[in-house]
């Protein structure tokens, strides 16, 4: 059965990662279009409660690898389980979350399977392809769609020849959807005795410190986002103040993060977080396609920019032409004066 | 004991400073407008390699880069900071490589330089942000990987302890050799050029670069062979041809679309007090804030 496979990631707390639920939801739709099964691989320890949680997303088969040595995540044993499974099951499509685990694991698998891997897709579709040189026709390929390097272009990537067709997707890009509370699938336990070898445990974990999720911009209703035009981490303090009075969070572009103005956790866009707040205030942001990919679903967008022709203005409901350092303090002041 | 560290480094267009002239009118990239730089996280990788070298007597740092002739620039840059030697893997047949074909090519080059204890890469290259090549090279070599390295805790002739940066925390791991490491941008930044090394290595060239020189380097190179940056082409690697370049790249670009901006009816405001105030009032009135 040439199924759609999703790697189901288990969080530090032993829950299913949000991104995995999102990918299962997307995977179900892709499987419907391909008239095939949605299968998932679940690797860790003490996972008995998990399959019941994920079947409602339309999962037909859970491949379960449960072993004390499989939690916390380590590259080689997890990779070995998946490579063994993929070689037996020959998936059509394989999706991974673009998390620190998924981005460690997926390239290892793609290398072993000698197949392509597209990072940070912002959309996945099924479609056909006619190779112009050979006139060969390929039916039902996975279109892996992502902004391409450098600017306002969106590339559609395909893997005509190799299987599985692999992609990673950031958290928040796909929507979570339960298809049926009573959806029932099968559990297949993976026999680990022949798969796990001592040498896979060569990297030993000596110590781990996991912090609570401090910053949660994904669920904020109001986001005050700053770009390179904000100028400094000192200037970002204004944005924090505005976010605080509005009850929102601060986001940023990659240029602002690279410049060291704020933490990487705040990056919004194709290679950061995807957000859909009620209000998005873009301060000193030009609006590159990689950034817009993470925020263009916001209900209302305000752009504050010195450049009337900044691309972000085209998707903004309001554009204030002027400097961030002048306008943001005014917004704080008037909001304080006019709200109770 | 010989201890060899191979650093994989890439020259990339500086996508962080994409100015207005970086895009052509037709929406494609104007590569000429983007300066070519040492991929930032590869500098963190080089620093980690140099730290290992500082602590292990007789250790050598070799820089490998795959790219056009011009990419030799970053090999020289690495030598100014303490790398011992560089190899440029360059051939038209490598053009169009995706990460799988790139990692296969780099793997073949690393294989020629074995035995080595550590292969150190950047986490990701800023032209694609894929972070795939490091783990793929590690898989092909059949060695373990430590990704997102942030700190070299301890290193000895038989094992290394590294702190890794995870999404929500840190993890300290230990590994024997050989091991592949990918280094995160939060690791120590690279030491600056050392003037002694700059003087020593400024004439380092590849064969192709030497052909373009007007000055005669024959005598200099006879006395100081380390100045030669070796150039390897397909013929120097024991490759399955079908796994190289465009034909060895399973990912194909089906099409490129210009983004059609869904223009909203944007209301333009000035920074005037009244404009800002009326906007805030409207947002409060619509219960979007407040
Ligand atoms: C593979 C890849 C992945 C990427 N992923 C992401 C991602 O996830 N998220 C992301 O954001 N980017 C991403 N990028 C980078 C993206 O292409 C842009 O470079 C980046 O978004 C630009 O950030 P910016 O708008 O802050 O900076 P700039 O493009 O430099 O824009 C600064 C803006 O500020 C304005 N300005 C200047 N001074 C002032 C002032 N005083 N007051 C008001 N306005 C002012 C300017 O007019 C300009 O419009 C990625 C790039 C690549 C190649
Ligand atoms: N052409 C190349 N030459 C040398 N090293 C490379 C090359 N491409 C990628 N790398 C290494 O692999 C890392 C990850 O690259 P990427 O998968 O493209 O994000 C980089 O930081 C480099 O260390």
């Amino acid at each position: 059965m040439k199924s759609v496979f999703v790697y189901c990631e288990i969080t530090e707390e032993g829950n299913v990662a949000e991104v995995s639920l999102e990918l299962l939801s997307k995977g179900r739709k892709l499987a419907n279009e391909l008239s095939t099964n949605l299968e998932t691989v679940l690797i860790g320890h003490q996972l008995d409660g998990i399959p019941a949680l994920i079947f409602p997303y339309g999962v037909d088969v859970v491949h379960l690898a449960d072993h004390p040595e499989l939690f916390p995540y380590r590259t080689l044993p997890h990779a070995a389980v998946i490579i063994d499974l993929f070689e037996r099951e020959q998936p059509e499509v394989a999706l991974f979350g673009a998390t620190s685990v998924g981005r460690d694991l997926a390239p290892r698998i793609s290398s072993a399977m000698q197949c392509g891997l597209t990072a940070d897709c912002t959309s996945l579709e099924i479609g056909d392809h006619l190779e112009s040189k050979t006139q060969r026709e390929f039916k039902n390929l996975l279109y892996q769609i992502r902004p391409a390097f450098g600017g306002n272009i969106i590339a559609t990537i395909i893997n005509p020849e190799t299987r599985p067709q692999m992609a990673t997707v950031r958290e928040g890009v796909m929507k979570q959807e339960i298809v049926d509370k009573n959806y029932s699938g099968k559990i297949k336990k993976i026999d680990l005795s022949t798969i796990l070898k001592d040498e896979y445990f060569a990297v030993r974990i000596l110590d781990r410190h996991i912090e609570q999720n401090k910053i949660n911009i994904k669920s904020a209703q109001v986001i005050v986002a700053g770009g390179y035009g904000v100028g400094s981490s000192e200037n970002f303090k204004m944005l924090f103040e505005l976010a605080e009075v509005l009850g929102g969070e601060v986001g940023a572009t990659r240029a602002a993060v690279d410049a060291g103005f704020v933490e990487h956790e705040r990056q919004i866009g194709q290679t950061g977080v995807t957000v859909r707040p009620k209000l998005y205030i873009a301060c000193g942001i030009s609006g590159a396609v990689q950034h817009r990919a993470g925020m263009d679903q916001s209900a209302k967008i305000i752009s504050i920019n010195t450049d009337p022709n900044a691309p972000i203005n085209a998707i903004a409901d309001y554009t204030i032409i002027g400097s961030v350092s002048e306008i943001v303090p005014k917004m704080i002041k008037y909001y304080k004066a006019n709200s109770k | 004991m010989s201890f060899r560290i191979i650093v994989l480094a890439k020259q990339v267009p500086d996508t962080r400073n994409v100015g207005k002239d970086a895009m052509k009118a037709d929406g494609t990239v104007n590569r000429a407008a983007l300066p070519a730089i040492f991929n930032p996280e590869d500098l963190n990788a080089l620093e980690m390699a140099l730290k290992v070298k500082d602590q292990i007597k007789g250790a050598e740092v070799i820089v490998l880069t795959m790219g056009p002739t011009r990419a030799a620039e970053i090999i020289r840059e690495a030598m100014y900071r303490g790398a011992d030697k560089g190899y440029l893997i360059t051939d038209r047949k490598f053009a169009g490589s995706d990460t799988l074909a790139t990692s296969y090519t780099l793997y073949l080059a690393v294989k020629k330089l074995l035995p080595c204890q550590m292969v150190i890469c950047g986490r990701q290259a800023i032209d694609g942000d894929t972070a795939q090549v490091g783990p793929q090279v590690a898989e092909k070599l059949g060695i373990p990987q430590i990704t997102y390295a942030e700190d070299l805790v301890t290193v000895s002739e038989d094992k290394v302890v590294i702190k890794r940066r995870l999404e929500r925390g840190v993890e300290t791991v230990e590994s024997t050799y050989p091991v592949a490491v990918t280094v995160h941008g939060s690791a120590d930044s690279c030491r600056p050029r050392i003037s002694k090394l700059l003087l020593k290595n400024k004439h380092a060239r590849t064969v192709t670069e030497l052909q373009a020189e007007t000055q005669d380097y024959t005598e200099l190179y006879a006395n100081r062979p380390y100045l030669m940056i070796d150039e390897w082409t397909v013929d120097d690697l024991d490759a399955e041809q079908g796994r190289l370049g465009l034909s060895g790249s399973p990912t194909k670009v089906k099409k490129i679309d210009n983004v059609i901006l869904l223009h909203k009816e944007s209301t333009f405001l000035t920074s005037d007090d009244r404009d800002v105030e009326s906007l805030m009032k409207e947002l409060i009135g619509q219960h979007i804030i407040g």
Side-chain angles (χ1 to χ4, degrees):
Chain A
M1 186 94 199
K2 299 198 168 304
S3 302
V4 171
F5 271 70
V6 170
Y7 172 70
C8 185
E9 186 173 333
I10 301 298
T11 64
E12 300 290 343
E13 293 77 17
N15 304 318
V16 180
E18 296 282 312
V19 68
S20 299
L21 296 176
E22 293 160 12
L23 287 178
L24 287 172
S25 308
K26 184 68 194 183
R28 179 68 262 167
K29 290 193 184 123
L30 297 173
N32 289 348
E33 278 191 69
L34 296 169
S35 314
T36 190
N37 278 343
L38 172 64
E39 309 194 21
T40 184
V41 46
L42 188 54
I43 307 175
H45 187 44
Q46 296 178 326
L47 301 171
D48 290 347
I50 306 283
L53 295 177
I54 57 179
F55 282 132
Y57 291 85
V59 177
D60 298 302
V61 183
V62 173
H63 298 272
L64 188 68
D66 195 316
H67 191 278
E69 289 286 340
L70 290 175
F71 185 87
Y73 168 82
R74 270 190 280 179
T75 314
L76 294 189
H78 277 234
V81 169
I82 296 174
I83 292 164
D84 174 80
L85 181 69
F86 282 8
E87 277 169 356
R88 284 186 282 120
E89 301 285 337
Q90 300 290 317
E92 190 66 9
V93 169
L95 308 177
F96 293 77
T99 58
S100 47
V101 167
R103 282 157 65 85
D104 179 85
L105 183 58
R108 191 103 196 171
I109 311 286
S110 91
S111 177
M113 306 291 296
Q114 288 190 40
C115 65
L117 169 63
T118 306
D120 301 325
C121 295
T122 50
S123 172
L124 297 169
E125 290 167 16
I126 301 295
D128 300 337
H129 177 62
L130 180 70
E131 201 173 73
S132 52
K133 218 166 51 196
T134 58
Q135 289 295 306
R136 275 173 72 196
E137 225 188 310
F138 297 89
K139 288 261 175 237
N140 291 327
L141 293 182
L142 181 71
Y143 286 0
Q144 301 147 41
I145 301 165
R146 58 168 290 177
F149 156 73
N152 288 330
I153 42 180
I154 301 278
T156 301
I157 315 278
I158 48 172
N159 313 124
E161 316 259 7
T162 54
R163 294 293 177 274
Q165 302 166 82
M166 289 181 64
T168 69
V169 180
R170 296 263 161 183
E171 183 179 332
V173 174
M174 305 293 173
K175 287 217 177 76
Q176 274 185 40
E177 239 166 291
I178 287 182
V179 292
D180 178 356
K181 280 205 303 273
N182 302 315
Y183 199 95
S184 73
K186 279 199 294 264
I187 299 176
K188 289 190 183 168
K189 289 218 164 100
I190 296 174
D191 175 14
L192 296 166
S193 58
T194 55
I195 299 174
L196 297 182
K197 305 200 174 110
D198 285 347
E199 68 208 67
Y200 297 154
F201 298 93
V203 175
R204 291 202 307 131
I205 299 175
L206 303 181
D207 191 26
R208 316 182 81 227
H209 286 286
I210 303 303
E211 295 138 21
Q212 286 296 311
N213 242 344
K214 286 187 308 250
I215 305 166
N216 192 358
I217 51 175
K218 215 182 109 184
S219 55
Q221 293 296 317
V222 175
I223 291 178
V224 182
Y228 195 69
V230 172
S232 64
S233 50
E234 187 60 31
N235 282 350
F236 250 88
K237 287 188 185 150
M238 283 184 290
L239 273 50
F240 279 98
E241 195 185 339
L242 180 60
E244 199 190 321
V245 298
L246 300 181
E249 262 296 354
V250 171
T253 63
R254 194 177 86 174
V257 170
D258 283 349
F261 300 164
V262 281
E263 312 91 305
H264 179 259
E265 287 70 40
R266 299 191 186 274
Q267 182 173 316
I268 291 169
Q270 184 204 351
T271 54
V273 195
T274 297
V275 296
R276 298 179 181 81
K278 280 204 298 194
L279 178 63
Y280 193 89
I281 308 180
C283 309
I285 292 177
S286 63
V289 66
Q290 293 93 349
H291 184 72
R292 295 199 310 263
M295 50 68 71
D296 60 7
Q297 305 288 314
S298 306
K300 238 186 194 23
I301 299 170
I302 299 176
S303 162
I304 303 174
N305 204 304
T306 42
D307 177 7
N309 299 317
I312 188 96
N313 302 344
I315 60 162
D317 300 274
Y318 296 95
T319 301
I320 312 180
I321 305 299
S323 173
V324 173
S325 52
E326 184 189 354
I327 293 159
V328 170
K330 285 186 185 174
M331 293 175 104
I332 298 169
K333 190 172 127 207
Y334 291 127
Y335 181 77
K336 281 184 174 163
N338 290 295
S339 71
K340 272 131 242 150
Chain B
M1 183 207 165
S2 86
F3 194 101
R4 179 169 276 182
I5 309 147
I6 297 175
V7 175
L8 303 182
K10 185 180 189 186
Q11 191 181 43
V12 293
D14 190 357
T15 58
R16 295 169 311 169
N17 293 310
V18 182
K20 291 218 169 53
D21 48 354
M23 298 298 296
K24 297 189 205 153
D26 61 0
T28 58
V29 188
N30 182 8
R31 280 180 185 263
L34 296 177
I37 57 165
F38 206 121
N39 180 50
E41 287 185 319
D42 299 355
L43 279 170
N44 300 101
L46 175 62
E47 175 60 26
M48 195 165 283
L50 294 172
K51 283 202 165 80
V52 175
K53 179 179 147 123
D54 290 343
Q55 292 177 53
I56 294 187
K57 223 173 140 229
E60 60 171 343
V61 172
I62 295 178
V63 179
L64 260 183
T65 185
M66 169 178 138
T69 308
R70 181 179 175 190
E73 289 167 3
I74 67 165
I75 293 178
R76 269 189 295 279
E77 187 60 50
M79 290 171 84
Y80 299 157
R81 298 168 192 245
D84 297 286
K85 185 160 177 56
Y87 293 84
L88 174 67
I89 328 262
T90 186
D91 199 308
R92 270 169 209 257
K93 294 202 176 109
F94 300 142
S97 294
D98 67 5
T99 62
L100 197 70
T102 301
S103 61
Y104 178 62
T105 311
L106 291 171
Y107 148 75
L108 294 172
V110 171
K111 219 170 64 168
K112 280 184 68 136
L113 296 168
L114 294 179
C116 91
Q117 279 70 12
M118 302 177 81
V119 176
I120 308 188
C121 327
R123 174 185 53 146
Q124 64 190 30
I126 56 170
D127 56 354
D129 272 7
T130 59
Q132 291 173 4
V133 168
Q136 287 175 333
V137 171
E139 193 280 331
K140 290 184 162 54
L141 288 165
I143 64 177
Q145 68 196 43
I146 299 174
T147 49
Y148 327 125
E150 177 170 83
D151 193 21
L152 181 71
V153 182
T154 59
V155 62
S156 69
E157 285 185 4
D158 38 49
K159 64 177 191 221
V160 61
V161 176
I162 282 177
K163 194 165 98 190
R164 328 170 47 214
R165 167 72 25 201
L166 306 179
E167 244 147 16
R168 283 168 41 205
V170 290
E171 183 178 272
T172 306
V173 299
E174 177 188 83
S175 178
T176 51
Y177 305 121
V179 65
V181 179
T182 80
V183 182
H184 194 268
S186 61
D188 284 347
S189 40
C190 195
R191 60 196 64 183
R193 297 172 174 190
I194 297 162
S195 46
K196 199 181 75 195
L197 293 177
L198 184 66
L199 279 173
K200 180 176 165 202
N201 293 314
K202 71 175 177 201
H203 293 294
R205 294 285 183 279
T206 63
V207 177
T208 311
E209 286 175 319
L210 282 180
Q211 284 162 358
E213 291 286 345
T214 47
Q215 200 182 329
D216 186 5
Y217 274 64
T218 322
E219 200 182 327
L220 181 70
Y221 271 62
N223 295 330
R224 296 160 61 185
Y226 60 84
L227 289 177
M228 179 58 77
I229 299 176
D230 282 293
E231 244 174 21
W232 284 350
T233 65
V234 167
D235 297 335
D236 297 297
L237 305 176
D238 184 16
E240 289 172 43
Q241 300 293 324
R243 294 176 70 181
L244 298 173
L246 195 60
S247 57
S249 298
T251 54
K252 310 282 178 207
V253 178
K254 178 173 167 57
K255 61 177 178 141
I256 299 269
D257 294 312
N258 282 324
V259 181
I260 303 171
L261 277 184
L262 293 174
H263 275 265
K264 286 192 183 172
E265 284 292 312
S266 195
T267 310
F268 275 78
L269 304 172
T270 68
S271 58
D272 195 79
D273 285 13
R274 270 175 313 173
D275 271 13
V276 177
E277 186 169 27
S278 70
L279 173 62
M280 295 309 280
K281 276 194 179 141
E282 190 177 325
L283 294 174
I284 294 168
Q286 292 173 358
H287 302 287
I288 292 171
I289 53 176

